[in-house]
């Protein structure tokens, strides 16, 4: 074996390869020749450590999924009996909740993403702990009698071009501003976690608490990069 091949072989056998040496054969078509998307491809094992076992993501989910390490942290913080994951997407959070909660109710307005979430949950061996519901969370929360121990909100931030300087959580979150969204969530539980851009206006975040409610804001890191914040509001300590 030539020396360079030998070095590469050794690195590969230890799971250490340079980006350019990583196999590209299974890159989704919409990513190829798109440098903006390729940076998510390079992070794929941070999004899902079991990526190579057949994880499925659509184009939007590559940049909206909560990275696995962060989702693990959030799941530890909201460990409880029944949790509602109101914006399930392709399952980044729901899969980790299934490890810390007895039951997960995972909702998304996009049936295609829910199918992928189900498939991805099966790869992690937790699909049977999650109930997948195809619905608009706002309508669901308005009409359900369900009471849960906690609700987790990871609403869309508005694409990849959201403000890194100052993010207004009342103007830019979808489908409604944060205060309204919290009102819907509180129909199901007083204990709510909300995943937000790190540039969120902190005054607005703190103002989401009801009088006398406990509030905590976590900084979420992926390695040394600060990726997001999660704010928690609760009436009792878990
Ligand atoms: N936490 C998820 C990613 C969520 S991205 C993960 O880690 O995989 C935001 C999701 O909200 C998208 O999947 C989008 O389809 C969904 N969504 C947008 N509006 C919604 C609504 N009104 N009700 C429920 N889901 C909605």
């Amino acid at each position: 074996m030539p020396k360079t091949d030998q070095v590469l072989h050794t690195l590969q056998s230890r799971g250490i390869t340079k980006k350019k040496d990583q196999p590209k054969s299974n890159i989704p078509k919409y990513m190829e020749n798109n440098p903006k998307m390729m940076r998510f491809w390079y992070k794929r094992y941070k999004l899902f450590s079991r990526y190579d076992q057949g994880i499925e993501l659509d184009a939007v989910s590559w940049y909206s999924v909560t990275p696995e390490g962060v989702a693990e942290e959030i799941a530890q913080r909201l460990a409880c009996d029944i949790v509602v994951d109101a914006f399930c997407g392709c399952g980044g959070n729901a899969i980790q909740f299934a490890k810390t909660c007895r039951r997960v109710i995972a909702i998304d307005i996009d049936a295609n993403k829910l199918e992928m979430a189900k498939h991805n949950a099966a790869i992690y061996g937790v699909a049977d702990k999650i109930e997948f519901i195809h619905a608009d969370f706002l309508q669901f929360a308005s009409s359900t009698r369900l009471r849960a121990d906690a609700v987790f909100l990871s609403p869309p931030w508005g694409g990849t071009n959201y403000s890194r300087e100052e993010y207004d959580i009342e103007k830019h979150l979808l489908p409604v501003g944060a205060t309204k969204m919290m009102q819907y969530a509180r129909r199901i539980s007083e204990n709510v976690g909300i995943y937000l851009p790190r540039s969120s206006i902190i005054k607005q975040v703190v103002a989401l608490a009801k009088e006398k409610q406990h509030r905590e804001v976590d900084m979420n890191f992926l390695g040394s990069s600060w990726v997001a914040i999660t704010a928690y509001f609760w009436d009792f300590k878990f």
Side-chain angles (χ1 to χ4, degrees):
M1 201 188 277
K3 209 172 170 197
T4 47
D5 286 359
Q6 211 162 19
V7 171
L8 182 58
H9 177 77
T10 313
L11 289 174
Q12 278 170 342
S13 63
R14 292 189 199 151
I16 309 164
T17 50
K18 288 184 187 162
K19 283 177 185 175
K20 66 180 173 60
D21 301 323
Q22 292 169 358
K24 292 205 172 108
S25 51
N26 50 351
I27 295 180
K29 275 271 170 290
Y30 51 76
M31 278 193 161
E32 274 172 346
N33 306 321
N34 181 343
K36 269 195 175 167
M37 288 302 282
M38 282 304 290
R39 66 194 171 97
F40 296 106
W41 169 255
Y42 292 134
K43 284 199 304 198
R44 61 197 181 284
Y45 300 116
K46 288 189 175 161
L47 303 184
F48 289 98
S49 58
R50 298 193 186 184
Y51 182 82
D52 284 347
Q53 293 179 36
I55 291 294
E56 288 178 359
L57 293 170
D58 63 355
V60 171
S61 296
W62 275 95
Y63 57 78
S64 39
V65 64
T66 306
E68 188 167 296
V70 174
E72 270 172 0
E73 262 174 44
I74 295 170
Q76 290 295 338
R77 294 287 255 126
L78 287 180
C80 63
D81 193 38
I82 301 176
V83 68
V84 172
D85 181 4
F87 300 88
C88 155
C90 286
N93 290 104
I95 289 168
Q96 299 307 322
F97 283 135
K99 296 181 184 171
T100 62
C101 303
R102 185 181 61 80
R103 189 107 200 108
V104 184
I105 316 287
I107 298 165
D108 205 282
I109 201 164
D110 180 338
N112 196 33
K113 287 189 179 56
L114 274 184
E115 277 308 312
M116 293 187 192
K118 210 179 281 185
H119 168 90
N120 295 340
I123 290 174
Y124 281 80
V126 295
D128 58 338
K129 292 188 73 182
I130 309 174
E131 187 178 337
F132 295 94
I133 299 179
H134 178 212
D136 174 338
F137 173 65
L138 307 187
Q139 285 180 9
F140 176 86
S142 306
S143 57
T144 187
R145 288 183 166 188
L146 173 73
R147 292 291 168 268
D149 299 292
V151 175
F152 176 66
L153 305 169
S154 59
W157 296 352
T160 48
N161 289 329
Y162 67 87
S163 170
R164 264 65 172 176
E165 301 297 316
E166 194 179 61
Y167 186 90
D168 187 323
I169 62 172
E170 299 300 343
K171 273 196 195 146
H172 302 309
L173 282 181
L174 295 167
V176 291
T179 299
K180 271 241 159 75
M181 211 174 301
M182 290 292 291
Q183 284 166 2
Y184 283 99
R186 285 183 174 124
R187 288 166 175 260
I188 298 172
S189 175
E190 290 294 340
N191 307 307
V192 182
I194 181 166
Y195 186 65
L196 296 166
R198 54 178 253 190
S199 51
S200 298
I201 300 171
I202 209 72
K203 245 182 165 175
Q204 291 183 331
V205 176
V206 172
L208 296 174
K210 290 204 319 198
E211 211 185 330
K212 291 189 187 158
Q213 250 198 332
H214 298 274
R215 66 197 94 170
E216 284 179 45
V217 183
D218 280 3
M219 295 163 78
N220 303 121
F221 285 89
L222 194 55
S224 57
S225 326
W226 180 20
V227 291
I229 59 170
T230 309
Y232 300 93
F233 305 93
W234 47 54
D235 279 352
F236 63 91
K237 196 93 178 123
F238 284 108

